[in-house]
Amino acid sequence: MTQQHERWSPPPRDPDDDTPRLECGVFGVYDVAEASGLTALGLHALQHRGQEACGMASFDGQRFHTERHMGYVAEAFGGGGLNERLPGRAAIGHTRYSTAGGSFIRNVQPMFADLEAGGIALAHNGNLTNFLTLREQLVQEGSIFQSTSDSEAILHLIARSRRPKFLDRFTEALQQIEGGYALVALTNKKLVGVRDPLGIRPLVLGELNGKSVLASETCALDLVGATFVRDVEHGEMVVIDQSGVRSFRPFPAQQARPCIFEYVYFARPDSVVNGRSIYEVRKRMGRRLAQESPADIDVVVPVPDSGVPAALGFAQQAGVPFEMGIIRNHYVGRTFIQPTQGERELGVRMKLAPNRSVLAGKKVLLVDDSIVRGTNSVRVVRMVREAGAAEVHLRSASPPIQWPDYYGIDMPDRDKLLAANHSVDEIAKILGVDSMGYLSVEGLYWAMGAVRDPVHPQYTDHYFTGDYPTRLLDREIAEGRNELVERQLSFLVDA
């Protein structure tokens, strides 16, 4: 096989599914009975962060055990015998959404490597912006890759380090990677959690009966009965073993810039991220949106489900009734992709149904969390009009999305982002609404209890501003070579 960067095409997306997608969630426990069963529960709570594949690795004191599956956590790990298949008192798990041409077992995490000091299983959430550069260098020096997952590149870097101690080797590897990530790793003696230097991707530390738990979100701690201890800080490495929890700082000090899209869309409403309640922040987004973009309306209706908190905040601020004018069917899978226009319309109606008693004859204001390409919005608006709405107005509880992401969010390139190519008035005509409005960047920061510092922004917000928090090395090198680089490089495409 010739050594070259694998090419792939983004997977065919359901034309009615216009939501941005985050790659994955991670979970880990140390020194607890039936660790794999607990990890399965944690992954179930993180299912919203990735629905296409999941995996676990456990250590029983002598051997590592791994299982990786396509599909939902409940389908993969919900049957009997889990703790017999994955025995041990320490485990890590991962749930992901594939952004690269399809999911295959060889790319599902956690990934495992056997080093001279023992085995290591690793799972991570996010994307490395220098992955292609690292991979090219490693391949030239003799490394053999079984996938194009950037997690595998991290394992190669650890394996190639000549430092005598594992933590030193791990640190040396971390100092060579760039981008946004949160990762968990399991060795025969330790559970390790790391957050990137800017804290772009979230990671929290919890406690269950005196034992430590790591998770992408606090909702996973809640489900397993663990208490929240603190956020793993930006640029921090926590090491958990029999002596307790130790903290290390493998990176130079920087100002934190967590991903603000966690608050807009990704995190579950019942989670607390970086000390802020997702539910309360989204309600504040709706309140500010009502101030910035009011309308003469009869009723506020959320676009289910992620638009609900913001719509509630809008209705409370505007003094207008909040009603569930659209009902979502939770039993239609995302795999329902239809090839023809008529069948796609049926697909929308299977997922979302109008509540005619709320909509008929009313001036309706729809609130959605964000608008990417607008394909879903067009069909929702049409459905509401067909249910008898006198007027339909649309509000986005986030600012216009105008720039793509390179840190683990699956967003289209700029030429396919609606707000990057059209004015607000043009968007209103395209979507078929009587009026259109977006929350401002200033309003979003207000909802976070902050005022944006234009020189040193407090959050990663490039999708709205074009202000990327790190260099994009792979893209910069490709542009210098006049080459095309795909945005998300995480999978080989099987023939």
Side-chain angles (χ1 to χ4, degrees), residues 218-234:
T218 59
C219 63
L221 302 181
D222 296 337
L223 183 58
V224 303
T227 57
F228 171 76
V229 175
R230 64 179 178 87
D231 289 283
V232 175
E233 296 183 11
H234 62 289

Side-chain angles (χ1 to χ4, degrees), residues 128-410:
L128 306 186
T129 54
N130 67 334
F131 164 61
L132 278 181
T133 306
L134 287 173
R135 185 176 185 272
E136 186 176 68
Q137 173 188 332
L138 288 165
V139 168
Q140 288 174 351
E141 294 175 357
S143 294
I144 299 174
F145 280 75
Q146 300 299 316
S147 73
T148 53
S149 169
D150 34 15
S151 299
E152 189 178 2
I154 300 172
L155 289 177
H156 279 290
L157 292 172
I158 296 171
R160 294 174 67 85
S161 173
R162 302 275 65 88
R163 300 288 182 88
K165 296 182 179 180
F166 166 76
L167 288 181
D168 293 333
R169 299 175 72 167
F170 198 47
T171 297
E172 186 174 73
L174 293 173
Q175 290 170 344
Q176 297 176 70
I177 64 177
E178 301 174 12
Y181 56 87
L183 62 85
V184 292
L186 181 64
T187 74
N188 53 9
K189 295 181 180 178
K190 299 175 174 64
L191 172 65
V192 182
V194 184
R195 201 170 172 195
D196 67 78
L198 298 177
I200 295 174
R201 300 267 75 88
L203 189 65
V204 298
L205 175 67
E207 185 178 281
L208 178 63
N209 299 324
K211 306 301 182 181
S212 295
V213 183
L214 293 170
S216 290
E217 291 184 36
T218 59
C219 63
L221 302 181
D222 296 337
L223 183 58
V224 303
T227 57
F228 171 76
V229 175
R230 64 179 178 87
D231 289 283
V232 175
E233 296 183 11
H234 62 289
E236 182 184 15
M237 176 169 67
V238 294
V239 178
I240 300 161
D241 55 23
Q242 292 295 339
S243 63
V245 181
R246 291 174 290 159
S247 174
F248 297 88
R249 294 286 182 172
F251 311 106
Q254 297 188 55
Q255 175 185 308
R257 284 189 67 176
C259 172
I260 207 166
F261 223 91
E262 292 282 349
Y263 301 90
V264 171
Y265 177 76
F266 290 125
R268 252 176 47 170
D270 54 329
S271 284
V272 176
V273 177
N274 301 307
R276 294 195 174 277
S277 161
I278 296 297
Y279 180 77
E280 292 300 328
V281 168
R282 289 178 185 168
K283 280 185 65 179
R284 285 173 60 85
M285 292 176 186
R287 286 175 50 196
R288 181 62 178 252
L289 183 60
Q291 296 171 354
E292 294 183 352
S293 189
D296 178 18
I297 53 173
D298 300 318
V299 63
V300 174
V301 171
V303 177
D305 284 322
S306 51
V308 171
L312 184 57
F314 191 108
Q316 290 174 346
Q317 178 67 35
V320 175
F322 167 92
E323 298 286 355
M324 297 301 293
I326 301 173
I327 308 301
R328 181 183 173 190
N329 180 358
H330 291 266
Y331 303 99
V332 177
R334 234 182 39 205
T335 57
F336 190 83
I337 301 176
Q338 297 297 334
T340 68
Q341 178 69 20
E343 290 169 328
R344 284 198 294 266
E345 295 292 342
L346 175 61
V348 173
R349 295 180 185 277
M350 290 183 69
K351 294 176 183 178
L352 301 175
N355 187 350
R356 296 178 185 275
S357 65
V358 169
L359 303 173
K362 302 289 181 59
K363 293 183 285 185
V364 178
L365 185 136
L366 300 173
V367 178
D368 208 345
D369 59 89
S370 58
I371 297 170
V372 183
R373 295 173 301 155
T375 51
N376 187 58
S377 301
V378 168
R379 295 183 173 93
V380 169
V381 169
R382 183 184 300 129
M383 178 181 67
V384 172
R385 287 199 185 279
E386 290 174 353
E391 296 179 11
V392 182
H393 305 263
L394 180 61
R395 298 294 183 268
S396 168
S398 78
I401 297 174
Q402 302 188 66
W403 302 87
D405 181 79
Y406 303 98
Y407 304 97
I409 302 173
D410 179 29

